[in-house]
Amino acid sequence: MTFQAPKGTFDWMPPRSEWALAVRDGLSAPARRAGYGYIETPAFEDTGLFSRGVGESTDIVTKEMYTFQSRGGQSLTLRPEGTASVVRAVLEHGLYGGPLPIKLWYSGSYFRYERAQAGRYRHFSQVGAEALGAEDPALDAELIVLAADGYRGLGLRGVRLLINSLGCKECRPAYRAALQEFLRGLDLDEQTRRRVEINPLRVLDDKRPEVQAQLTGAPLVTDHLCGACKAYHEEVRGLLTAAGVAYADDPRLVRGLDYYTRTTFEFLHDGLGAQSAVGGGGRYDGLSEMIGGPALPSVGWALGVDRTVLAMEAEGLLGERPRHLDVFAVPLGEDARRRIFPLVAELRRAGLAVDMAFGGRGVKGAMKAADRSGARYALILGDRDIEAGAVQVKDLTTADQTAVPLAEVVDVLKGKVS
């Protein structure tokens, strides 16, 4: 019997997996520089956390969650998104009682039973960042800038930013009523009609062409914003412009989760086909109260690792394997292998990334392995080198080769690599 990865999932394999690691690091680096601390939450949570926090009317809750009964009879769900888990952890550990805002970032796997296609997987990876406990347009703008800087740092040039405001609890009821009145006059299936009554904004997020074709002329949330929400949104827009982040206003932009308020945004890349969103987020001032906590106005985003790798591929940025080795050691013979092994360990302890040829390869095969490794330098040790008390250091980019005394090779390589 042979086994394969389940439908809608895939394996990250070298060398492509090296790019996934590089993307995780690149997307999270701006947040780490901005003082966001790392948080890691369980891969599964109480089902109620997501049904209450994400929203009963969302496709995620009604169609896409992986839910199961524990042996103790508790209903558990593999996390379909990260924000609800982060808020739950902040509440459980009482972080809201300390300095605010609480700035956190995370990276992990998420699970949704979606129709599998290119760019849409049932097991996917995201990097996320959340700032909890402050209602400040500068915080919204900061997070958007950090995400934009993450994409820019990876070399991506084709990422577009769309922004909108969804209003607040003061002005959204009037918009909700106007939208419901419009939607009730459309030719919609029974399930969508039920959604109109529960959360009509979800209908605007419906991707089916037959639904989208009927939404022309739907009332816009931006036409119903209260004065405070208008001023808040203008401040976010102004701060983005001041920071040099280009964006486009999209008054029809809504996100697929019920907890969003005010600022909402999405990053798109046109090289991905139908699944063009590579990340997004927004403000969620009421989520803490939805899951039993105190008022904790917050804002955050999640950026897709899988789709970002695809976007980089579309822009031709995956041509070379990310360099992760500094040195590749090549022993020529058994005596050389015994002598070079502790040297490799010493180089690693000195902070260098080092691999070596295994399996008793000849010089030709070992040097091919060195070239394939992506290392900058090869460390070659043969019988004559041992007699001379030296080792050959070869620059694999220029092919320059120098004999270095064994006692000095660690310091020499540290100087070259740094």
Side-chain angles (χ1 to χ4, degrees), residues 174-193:
Y175 173 64
R176 174 191 172 98
L179 181 60
Q180 283 178 319
E181 182 178 357
F182 173 84
L183 295 175
R184 286 167 183 152
L186 304 184
D187 181 19
L188 302 172
D189 61 84
E190 188 59 35
Q191 183 177 10
T192 306
R193 287 190 174 280

Side-chain angles (χ1 to χ4, degrees), residues 41 62 90 163 188 194 252 289 301 347 391:
T41 61
T62 59
V90 166
I163 67 170
L188 302 172
R194 286 197 298 271
R252 296 190 182 279
E289 294 161 281
W301 48 245
L347 287 166
V391 63

Side-chain angles (χ1 to χ4, degrees), residues 87-161:
V87 176
R88 188 271 309 153
V90 166
L91 297 178
E92 181 175 342
H93 297 280
L95 298 187
Y96 56 89
L100 300 175
I102 306 155
K103 292 184 170 184
L104 302 169
W105 78 273
Y106 52 93
S107 176
S109 296
Y110 300 87
F111 310 87
R112 297 181 191 175
Y113 190 83
E114 298 189 280
R115 184 168 61 87
Q117 56 182 291
R120 175 181 283 176
Y121 310 109
R122 294 173 179 176
H123 170 209
F124 54 95
S125 300
Q126 291 183 336
V127 171
E130 316 287 349
L132 305 96
E135 187 178 10
D136 187 335
L139 206 54
D140 301 34
E142 175 182 89
L143 275 156
I144 295 172
V145 171
L146 294 178
D149 286 349
Y151 290 124
R152 185 180 297 111
L154 291 170
L156 284 165
R157 295 293 177 265
V159 174
R160 299 185 291 115
L161 169 63

Side-chain angles (χ1 to χ4, degrees), residues 323 326-328 330 367 369-380 393-400:
R323 186 184 298 278
D326 300 314
V327 179
F328 192 91
V330 179
M367 290 308 298
D371 289 334
R372 288 194 300 266
S373 73
R376 175 69 187 275
Y377 298 98
L379 204 61
I380 307 166
V393 176
K394 182 176 181 178
D395 188 320
L396 292 172
T397 302
T398 66
D400 293 337

Side-chain angles (χ1 to χ4, degrees), residues 326-355:
D326 300 314
V327 179
F328 192 91
V330 179
L332 305 178
E334 285 299 308
D335 192 21
R337 180 176 61 83
R338 284 189 290 269
R339 289 174 180 264
I340 211 168
F341 186 86
L343 181 58
V344 166
E346 187 178 355
L347 287 166
R348 290 169 177 166
R349 291 169 186 148
L352 279 70
V354 187
D355 197 2

Side-chain angles (χ1 to χ4, degrees), residues 22-47:
V23 164
R24 288 190 184 104
D25 186 61
L27 294 178
S28 63
R32 300 198 308 270
R33 292 195 296 267
Y36 287 69
Y38 180 69
I39 183 174
E40 188 168 324
T41 61
F44 54 88
E45 300 264 11
D46 189 297
T47 300

Side-chain angles (χ1 to χ4, degrees), residues 194-227:
R194 286 197 298 271
R195 185 170 292 174
V196 168
E197 304 307 319
I198 300 172
N199 189 342
L201 268 70
R202 296 282 67 76
V203 181
L204 299 181
D205 199 38
D206 196 312
K207 300 299 189 292
R208 291 174 295 175
E210 63 271 23
V211 175
Q212 284 295 319
Q214 298 183 69
L215 295 179
T216 303
L220 302 177
V221 64
T222 47
D223 293 333
H224 293 77
L225 295 179
C226 62

